[in-house]
Amino acid sequence: NAGVTQTPKFQVLKTGQSMTLQCAQDMNHNSMYWYRQDPGMGLRLIYYSASEGTTDKGEVPNGYNVSRLNKREFSLRLESAAPSQTSVYFCASSGGPPSAEQYFGPGTRLTVT
Amino acid sequence: GIQVEQSPPDLILQEGANSTLRCNFSDSVNNLQWFHQNPWGQLINLFYIPSGTKQNGRLSATTVATERYSLLYISSSQTTDSGVYFCAAASGGSYIPTFGRGTSLIVHP
């Protein structure tokens, strides 16, 4: 039982390049989330998916797109990376209401030069 | 949306000391969690506690939902307790939590 997995663990991009961060969970959870963590800012929600087939914007969605590929997988895409997107990205999942306890993946450290 | 504030922002302890971390939130909650982010960046679930009291070894947590705060107690601290402690809370019809900015804890040997 791996929980929540993310790939890659580290990535360096040049400004304007694109990439997709992958996330998968094996807990049969309905809901999945993408967060970014910047120094001193806590975690901020980028996008979430309440259930398979649905996605919604969070607090900081600009510059990102997401795909809920199936119940297990939720990907985050940067179409044209910018230095402001240098951050640590976390994926999480939860079973959804009434118990919405979140479980997090190990994170992806992204640097955009 | 709900506002989540944590205090203190920084805490330095000697090994063996006790501490209390506080999380205040601006609305009634249906979801409250405490996490520990270790020095390697991993987020570890400590407690899921929208109300009441729970204990797990040297750690315990209490949420007083009517007064809009939660407390995390660490007793007999160890160097491995170092890291950042986050509180995350959700309210109303949304189950999606908002994170506080965290309390950074350093435990010296």
Side-chain angles (χ1 to χ4, degrees), chain B residues 51-94:
Chain B
S51 64
T53 297
K54 291 185 177 180
Q55 181 157 7
N56 185 1
R58 296 181 296 103
L59 273 61
S60 64
T62 295
T63 297
V64 184
T66 53
E67 297 192 17
R68 300 184 181 174
Y69 71 88
S70 183
L71 302 174
L72 177 68
Y73 305 97
I74 304 174
S75 65
S76 303
S77 58
Q78 300 176 358
T79 56
T80 52
D81 295 330
S82 297
V84 182
Y85 290 80
F86 288 103
C87 168
S91 68
S94 173

Side-chain angles (χ1 to χ4, degrees), chain B:
Chain B
I2 190 170
Q3 305 298 312
V4 179
E5 293 184 357
Q6 293 185 242
S7 60
D10 301 284
L11 189 57
I12 300 174
L13 301 174
Q14 287 296 128
E15 202 167 28
N18 302 329
S19 61
T20 301
L21 283 59
R22 187 176 180 101
C23 173
N24 291 334
F25 37 91
S26 61
D27 203 350
S28 57
V29 296
N30 55 36
N31 175 0
L32 189 133
Q33 284 187 259
W34 284 97
F35 296 91
H36 175 215
Q37 187 168 41
N38 65 23
W40 295 270
Q42 185 181 6
L43 282 158
I44 300 163
N45 290 37
L46 296 178
F47 295 101
Y48 177 76
I49 187 166
S51 64
T53 297
K54 291 185 177 180
Q55 181 157 7
N56 185 1
R58 296 181 296 103
L59 273 61
S60 64
T62 295
T63 297
V64 184
T66 53
E67 297 192 17
R68 300 184 181 174
Y69 71 88
S70 183
L71 302 174
L72 177 68
Y73 305 97
I74 304 174
S75 65
S76 303
S77 58
Q78 300 176 358
T79 56
T80 52
D81 295 330
S82 297
V84 182
Y85 290 80
F86 288 103
C87 168
S91 68
S94 173
Y95 57 89
I96 300 167
T98 295
F99 279 74
R101 296 197 173 194
T103 292
S104 176
L105 174 65
I106 297 173
V107 181
H108 289 302

Side-chain angles (χ1 to χ4, degrees), chain A residues 35-95:
Chain A
Y35 290 87
R36 61 178 287 171
Q37 183 178 27
D38 302 299
M41 297 293 292
L43 278 77
R44 293 183 292 169
L45 184 66
I46 305 172
Y47 271 92
Y48 66 98
S49 171
S51 61
E52 187 178 353
T54 69
T55 60
D56 286 287
K57 294 178 181 179
E59 180 186 353
V60 287
N62 290 346
Y64 306 95
N65 287 302
V66 290
S67 295
R68 183 74 183 265
L69 304 170
N70 48 55
K71 191 171 186 179
R72 291 188 63 249
E73 298 172 289
F74 189 38
S75 63
L76 177 72
R77 182 160 178 85
L78 287 69
E79 290 290 353
S80 179
S84 61
Q85 294 178 304
T86 293
S87 188
V88 181
Y89 291 86
F90 287 97
C91 177
S93 71
S94 71

